[in-house]
DNA sequence: TTTAAAAGTTGACGACTGTCAACTCTTCGA
DNA sequence: TCGAAGAGTTGACAGTCGTCAACTTTTAAA
C-alpha cells in the first residue's frame, strides 16, 4: 500500500457544485470579503459561529488548545477551500480557532443566511452531507497515521501534507513556509524535536532548510519514512 | 472547566427524528435484523458500505487497523445508536471495521434504499447534516483529550467514556465488561500498561477489577485524573 | 541602523511507556 | 473433568522524546 495523499485532504471545494444560479446569487448577496494579516484571528475556540468561509488568498490554520494549554494544528486551509460550517450546522460553539498563517483574504458568507439557503437548496444540502462524511474519513486516516508513530514519521507525514498545500504549479520544488513551532503543533511533537528531525532529514538530503522555509528535495524518501520503514 | 462527558458521545439516535410517516414506512420495508455473536464482524475495513445500521441489542466496536498492524478502537456503539452511514454517503470504502463486543442484534437498512429516501426526505437530510457535523466535534474533542496525555490519563478518559456506554439505570455502579486488550486499543496504549494503570487505580480505590470486568467506584477521582491533575 | 523580541538551535538528562519474556489464571470445548 | 488456548499479570530493560537551560540567529519595529 503506497502513501496516498488524497486520503489526507478535504474536498470542501465542491461545496457549491451544481447549486442553482438563483441560490448562488443569494449566496453572493450575503458574502463579504475579510482581510487578515499574518497571525490574524478569524474566529476563536469557544465562540459562536457566525459565518461560512472560503479562502481567496493565503492560508488559514485551524488550531485547538488543549486543557494543558498546548495547542495542536488540526488542519490548514488553502485557496479554494470552504470551512467553518460544521459548528454552524449543528449549532455548537467553535471547537477550534482559525488563524491566518500569512496575509490572507477570506470570503465570509453570513451564517444565518447560509443555513436558510442550505435548507432550501437540496443540492447544497447534499453537498454538505457528502463533504462532511468525507471529512470524517480524512480524520480517521490522519489519526490512524499519526498515532503509534515516532516523531520522525509524524513529521514526515505532516511535511507531505504541507507539500500539497504549498506546492505551486510553476515550480518543481515546494517551499513550505511555516514556523518550527507550527510544524511541531501539527505533527504533535515539540519544537526541539522538529529541529532535530529536520536536521536529520537535511543530512539525508531529503530537505533543505533555510530561515523559516523547508524545501522538500526527496519526496519519495519522505513517503517511505512516513510509512515507517 | 469540568469534565463534560457529553462532548464525547455522538447524537446519532436522532437520525430519524421528525421524518415523515410514509418515509418511516419505506425505511421499515428496506430493513432487516442481523444477529451477531460476540466477536462477529458486521463489516470489514476496506469493504464497500452496504447498509446503515442501528444497534438493537449489545455493543459494536469500531476498529481501525494501522499500517503497522496495530488496531485502535475508534468508537463503541450501544443500543439506539445508528452508524455506518458516513462512507455510504460519500461513496467511499469503510475506513474501519465493525465488530460485536458481545452477542448483539443490529437492524440493517439497505444502503441504496436509504440514500434514495435521504435524498427525498429533507428532514432526514438535515438530520444527517446535523449528526455528521456534531460527530466531527466529538472527534476533535476526543483527539484533543487523548493527545499529549499520559497513559494513565488516557485510560481514565476511556473508562469514563465506557462508563456511559455500560451504565444501567437500575444500578448505581457501572460494570464495564471489556478485555484489557480492547481497553488498550481504545486508550492508545498496550495491554501491559492498561494492567499497570488499572492496578494503580485499584490501589487508590478508584476501581475494582475482577475477571474481565471493571467496576468504577470513584468516578469523580477518575475525572480529576482524566483532566491531568 | 540599532536593538529588543521572537524564533531557532543544541546539549544534557530522565521519565514514561513499549517490548520481551516468563509466568499464572480463566475459559471453554472435547 | 481435563487440557489447551487465550487472557491477564509481573518484572526487567532500553529507546524515544519531552523538558529545561543556555545560546545563536532572525525579524521587525523604533
Amino acid at each position: 500500500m503506497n502513501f496516498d495523499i488524497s486520503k489526507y485532504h478535504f474536498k470542501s471545494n465542491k461545496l457549491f457544485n451544481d447549486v442553482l444560479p438563483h441560490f448562488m446569487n443569494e449566496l453572493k448577496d450575503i458574502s463579504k470579503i475579510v482581510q487578515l494579516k499574518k497571525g490574524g484571528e478569524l474566529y476563536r475556540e469557544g465562540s459562536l459561529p457566525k459565518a461560512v468561509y472560503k479562502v481567496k488568498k493565503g492560508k488559514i490554520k485551524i488550531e485547538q488548545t488543549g486543557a494543558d494549554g498546548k495547542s495542536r494544528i488540526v488542519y490548514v486551509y488553502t485557496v479554494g477551500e470552504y470551512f467553518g460550517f460544521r459548528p454552524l450546522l449543528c449549532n455548537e460553539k467553535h471547537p477550534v480557532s482559525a488563524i491566518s498563517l500569512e496575509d490572507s483574504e477570506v470570503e465570509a458568507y453570513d451564517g444565518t443566511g447560509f443555513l436558510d439557503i442550505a435548507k432550501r437548496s437540496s443540492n447544497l444540502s447534499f453537498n454538505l452531507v457528502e463533504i462532511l462524511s468525507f471529512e470524517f474519513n480524512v480524520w480517521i486516516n490522519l489519526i490512524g497515521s499519526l498515532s503509534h508513530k515516532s516523531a520522525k514519521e509524524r513529521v514526515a507525514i505532516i511535511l507531505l501534507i504541507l507539500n500539497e498545500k504549498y506546492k505551486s504549479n510553476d515550480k518543481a520544488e515546494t517551499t513550505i513556509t511555516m514556523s518550527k513551532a507550527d510544524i511541531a503543533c501539527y505533527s504533535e511533537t515539540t519544537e526541539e524535536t522538529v529541529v532535530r528531525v529536520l536536521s536529520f532529514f537535511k543530512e539525508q538530503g531529503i530537505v533543505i532548510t533555510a530561515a523559516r522555509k523547508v524545501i522538500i528535495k526527496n519526496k519519495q524518501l519522505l513517503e517511505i519514512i512516513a510509512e515507517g520503514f
Side-chain angles (χ1 to χ4, degrees), chain A:
Chain A
M1 181 95 86
N2 277 346
F3 188 85
D4 180 7
I5 194 73
S6 76
K7 283 168 57 181
Y8 301 92
H9 291 284
F10 291 164
K11 288 182 177 171
S12 72
N13 303 54
K14 61 198 288 188
L15 180 62
F16 293 151
N17 276 15
D18 303 322
V19 171
L20 296 174
H22 68 277
F23 287 130
M24 289 307 290
N25 287 335
E26 284 190 46
L27 284 162
K28 202 162 196 175
D29 290 342
I30 60 166
S31 80
K32 62 177 183 196
I33 298 293
V34 178
Q35 302 288 344
L36 282 170
K37 286 254 168 245
K38 179 176 175 174
E41 194 179 74
L42 190 55
Y43 53 78
R44 185 190 296 261
E45 198 171 338
S47 67
L48 287 170
K50 290 195 285 284
V52 172
Y53 306 95
K54 179 187 190 179
V55 183
K56 303 290 275 184
K57 210 194 85 187
K59 286 178 190 63
I60 310 287
K61 67 172 170 180
I62 302 300
E63 207 174 56
Q64 192 204 30
T65 309
D68 50 355
K70 279 176 198 156
S71 55
R72 78 208 95 249
I73 291 179
V74 149
Y75 202 80
V76 172
Y77 288 105
T78 183
V79 175
E81 293 188 282
Y82 293 87
F83 64 100
F85 45 81
R86 268 186 311 275
L88 188 73
L89 291 166
C90 61
N91 200 29
E92 295 274 326
K93 288 174 184 169
H94 281 297
V96 292
S97 301
I99 295 159
S100 185
L101 276 171
E102 48 195 75
D103 290 358
S104 300
E105 197 177 293
V106 166
E107 192 164 8
Y109 300 87
D110 174 68
T112 322
F114 180 87
L115 276 179
D116 174 53
I117 297 167
K119 273 181 185 146
R120 287 180 286 124
S121 163
S122 59
N123 282 333
L124 180 48
S125 287
F126 227 77
N127 285 347
L128 278 171
V129 169
E130 209 175 318
I131 289 168
L132 289 167
S133 304
F134 186 78
E135 295 196 353
F136 211 93
N137 288 356
V138 169
W139 263 97
I140 300 270
N141 286 325
L142 190 61
I143 289 144
S145 297
L146 293 182
S147 69
H148 293 308
K149 294 254 176 170
S150 70
K152 207 176 275 182
E153 291 165 330
R154 291 202 305 276
V155 172
I157 290 167
I158 294 304
L159 286 181
L160 287 167
I161 291 174
L162 290 173
N163 178 60
E164 291 296 304
K165 299 283 177 189
Y166 283 85
K167 80 176 170 191
S168 68
N169 295 325
D170 47 315
K171 272 198 215 159
E173 274 172 359
T174 306
T175 302
I176 296 166
T177 309
M178 195 181 240
S179 74
K180 299 284 147 64
D182 274 344
I183 295 175
C185 284
Y186 208 168
S187 40
E188 306 251 331
T189 182
T190 59
E191 202 174 330
E192 292 93 330
T193 299
V194 168
V195 170
R196 285 185 246 267
V197 168
L198 282 181
S199 66
F200 169 79
F201 286 169
K202 201 173 181 178
E203 272 172 30
Q204 305 294 315
I206 300 171
V207 302
I208 294 176
T209 57
R212 234 131 277 186
K213 295 182 193 322
V214 180
I215 300 168
I216 295 175
K217 299 298 281 184
N218 191 337
K219 204 177 114 186
Q220 210 174 358
L221 201 43
L222 215 46
E223 285 174 356
I224 291 168
I225 292 169
E227 299 215 311
F229 304 112

